[in-house]
Amino acid sequence: MKESIIAPSILASDFSNFAGAAAEIEKAGADWVHIDVMDGQFVPNLTFGPKLAADLRPKTLLPFDVHLMVKNPENLIEPFARSGADYITFHSEAAVHSQRLLVLIRELGKKAGISIVPSTPVCAIGELLPFADLVLVMTVNPGFGGQELIPQCLQKVQTLAELREKKGFSYLISVDGGIQEKTAPLARSAGADVLVAGTAFFAAADKEALVKRLRGR
Ligand code: DX5
Ligand code: ZN
């Protein structure tokens, strides 16, 4: 099995020190910085906008994995592209013209991601898969860190891996929500390429060791 990409979420970090959080992610040997953008509308919580990404950009060399949990994601795609995002992922449930948005993200030179909440089946995004560089499967209902992974969601990871194989698609499969040492192996064996971890990462005393274990080493 190939090694997973580990993407710690700064949602679980100290909001008074994002530069410190990025440094910890880098020092632990993780791969991406996961940036959870919440608007208080699509989800019942509020975080940060493109300025955070812009200010954090010079502080680390790691790619920024921006996860937009917002209504009207079309308003935030260009601002995040300008602010140094590498991956920009939005929710299929929040957009009507999702295909257009995926194309726009790629035109801006970024990797385009589409996400689904636990109640959305893979078939709802079937037409979008050829246009996606990343598919983010939420394994909790988005809005808050520290929730328990919903195991049924991992079936969708397996479906996405099979579809990719069968149809020759190239997206990465990411899982987000409740990923820790016990659940990471389940996500990996379902076929996940990217593991997002917030609470588990920032709570770990030895972050480097945790990253290795999440990867399966
Ligand atoms: C949830 C966010 C996740 C969250 C994961 O709405 O999209 O990225 O930070 O946090 P944990 O790992 O604590 O479930
Ligand atoms: Zn996220």
Side-chain angles (χ1 to χ4, degrees), residues 112-132:
I114 188 79
S115 183
I116 49 176
V117 301
S119 60
T120 302
V122 169
C123 62
I125 56 165
E127 301 302 319
L128 301 172
L129 297 178
F131 305 96

Side-chain angles (χ1 to χ4, degrees), residues 61-96:
L61 293 171
L62 295 181
F64 283 178
D65 178 30
V66 174
H67 177 193
L68 299 176
M69 285 161 278
V70 301
K71 279 191 177 169
N72 306 314
E74 59 278 5
N75 295 337
L76 285 176
I77 286 170
E78 291 192 49
F80 270 102
R82 279 197 302 272
S83 304
D86 294 278
Y87 282 81
I88 302 177
T89 298
F90 62 93
H91 272 267
S92 68
E93 301 86 2
V96 176

